[in-house]
C-alpha cells in the first residue's frame, strides 16, 4: 500500500499537482503569460455537475489545440486557465460565454449587483507570479489533506466492518426454529408457479 505524500508534496496524477508543476516551469517564461481562475465551486450544486464542468472546460478547447492556453480542472470543480497574453480577447470571450451559461446562478447575480469579481480572478504572471504559485501550492495541500482524510475514514470503516459481529451464531435452538418454520410454511403457491419443460430426444424443449 502506497503511503500518502507529506503535506505540500504534489500527487503526480492530480490536476492540482500538474498545475503546480506547470507554474514552476513558467517561472522563467512569465513575461507574456496570464491566468484566470474560474470559481465554479461557488456555483450552486446543480450548476456544477460533471457535465457542466466538462462544457466549461471545452469552451477553451480551441485555444488549447492552438497551444495558446492550458486548462486545469481542479477537484473542487474550479477551472484554472493559463494562457499567452496574445489570447486575451479569446479568453475574455470564452469567459463571457460561461457567464451566460450560468447567468441564473446566485453567484453571477450577486456579482452583477455588487460589481465585484466573484466568478473569476485574473492574474498577470509578470506581476503576480508569486501569488499564483502560492495558490497552486495551497491547492495541492488542500487536495492532499482531503485525500488523506478520506483514506483514513475508509480504513477506519474497514476496521469497523472487520470487527463487526457477523450475525447471531447458528445454535441448535436457532436450527430448531428454522426447521419448525419451514415445516409450517405454505409452499403450495410456489410449487404451482414453477415452469415445467418436457425434453424428448433431440426435439426442442416444450
Amino acid at each position: 500500500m502506497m503511503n500518502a505524500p507529506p503535506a505540500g508534496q504534489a500527487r503526480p496524477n492530480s490536476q492540482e499537482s500538474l498545475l503546480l508543476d506547470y507554474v514552476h516551469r513558467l517561472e522563467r517564461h512569465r513575461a507574456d503569460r496570464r491566468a484566470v481562475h474560474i470559481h465554479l465551486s461557488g456555483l450552486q450544486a446543480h450548476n456544477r455537475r460533471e457535465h457542466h464542468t466538462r462544457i466549461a472546460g471545452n469552451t477553451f478547447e480551441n485555444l488549447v489545440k492552438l497551444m495558446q492556453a492550458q486548462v486545469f480542472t481542479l477537484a473542487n470543480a474550479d477551472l484554472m486557465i493559463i494562457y499567452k497574453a496574445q489570447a486575451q480577447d479569446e479568453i475574455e470571450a470564452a469567459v463571457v460565454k460561461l457567464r451566460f451559461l450560468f447567468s441564473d446562478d446566485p453567484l453571477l447575480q450577486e456579482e452583477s449587483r455588487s460589481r465585484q469579481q466573484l466568478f473569476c480572478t485574473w492574474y498577470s504572471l509578470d506581476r503576480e507570479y508569486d501569488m499564483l504559485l502560492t495558490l497552486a501550492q495551497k491547492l495541492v495541500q488542500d487536495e492532499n489533506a482531503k485525500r488523506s482524510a478520506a483514506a483514513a475514514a475508509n480504513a477506519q470503516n474497514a476496521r469497523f466492518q472487520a470487527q463487526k459481529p457477523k450475525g447471531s451464531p447458528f445454535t441448535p435452538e436457532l436450527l430448531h426454529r428454522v426447521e419448525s418454520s419451514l415445516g409450517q410454511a405454505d409452499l403450495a403457491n410456489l410449487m404451482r408457479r414453477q415452469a415445467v419443460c418436457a425434453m424428448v430426444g433431440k426435439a426442442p424443449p416444450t
Side-chain angles (χ1 to χ4, degrees):
M1 180 177 179
M2 185 178 297
N3 293 328
Q9 181 177 333
R11 290 178 177 271
N13 295 325
S14 72
Q15 288 284 291
E16 288 79 3
S17 67
L18 294 174
L19 170 63
L20 179 59
D21 179 67
Y22 191 70
V23 172
H24 277 303
R25 288 190 283 116
L26 286 179
E27 183 175 8
R28 297 182 180 179
H29 310 281
R30 47 180 157 168
D32 65 337
R33 293 294 198 283
R34 298 176 183 175
V36 58
H37 183 185
I38 301 177
H39 304 284
L40 298 183
S41 59
L43 301 174
Q44 290 189 326
H46 69 273
N47 277 332
R48 48 184 165 82
R49 299 191 182 103
E50 183 179 351
H51 69 276
H52 288 108
T53 57
R54 185 168 58 250
I55 291 172
N58 289 343
T59 305
F60 303 91
E61 185 176 3
N62 287 337
L63 289 170
V64 173
K65 289 180 179 179
L66 294 173
M67 301 182 70
Q68 296 294 304
Q70 189 70 36
V71 178
F72 301 90
T73 304
L74 307 178
N76 65 355
D78 281 0
L79 295 179
M80 180 68 76
I81 299 94
I82 299 178
Y83 58 95
K84 294 181 179 178
Q86 64 195 49
Q88 182 66 34
D89 290 344
E90 291 85 349
I91 292 291
E92 289 185 7
V95 172
V96 168
K97 290 180 181 178
L98 294 184
R99 289 183 188 277
F100 180 77
L101 177 64
F102 300 111
S103 59
D104 63 337
D105 192 275
L107 179 70
L108 274 299
Q109 296 173 3
E110 174 62 25
E111 183 182 65
S112 178
R113 287 193 298 267
S114 64
R115 296 187 178 182
Q116 296 179 353
Q117 291 288 331
L118 303 177
F119 183 62
C120 55
T121 304
W122 299 86
Y123 297 90
S124 180
L125 269 64
D126 59 342
R127 301 190 308 271
E128 299 166 312
Y129 174 82
D130 292 338
M131 187 182 301
L132 184 63
L133 176 61
T134 299
L135 173 62
Q137 292 170 336
K138 184 178 185 304
L139 289 170
V140 168
Q141 292 173 353
D142 291 347
E143 188 257 352
N144 285 344
K146 289 179 181 178
R147 286 176 178 259
S148 297
N154 289 338
Q156 184 177 3
N157 184 59
R159 288 194 297 270
F160 173 76
Q161 293 296 332
Q163 297 171 359
K164 187 178 179 180
K166 305 297 182 181
S168 302
F170 204 68
T171 62
E173 293 180 0
L174 181 58
L175 178 60
H176 177 70
R177 290 201 300 270
V178 171
E179 185 179 9
S180 299
S181 298
L182 288 175
Q184 298 172 7
D186 182 8
L187 304 179
N189 290 333
L190 295 175
M191 295 298 291
R192 284 198 296 269
R193 293 176 183 172
Q194 297 301 314
V196 177
C197 294
M199 301 180 65
V200 180
K202 296 183 179 181
T206 58

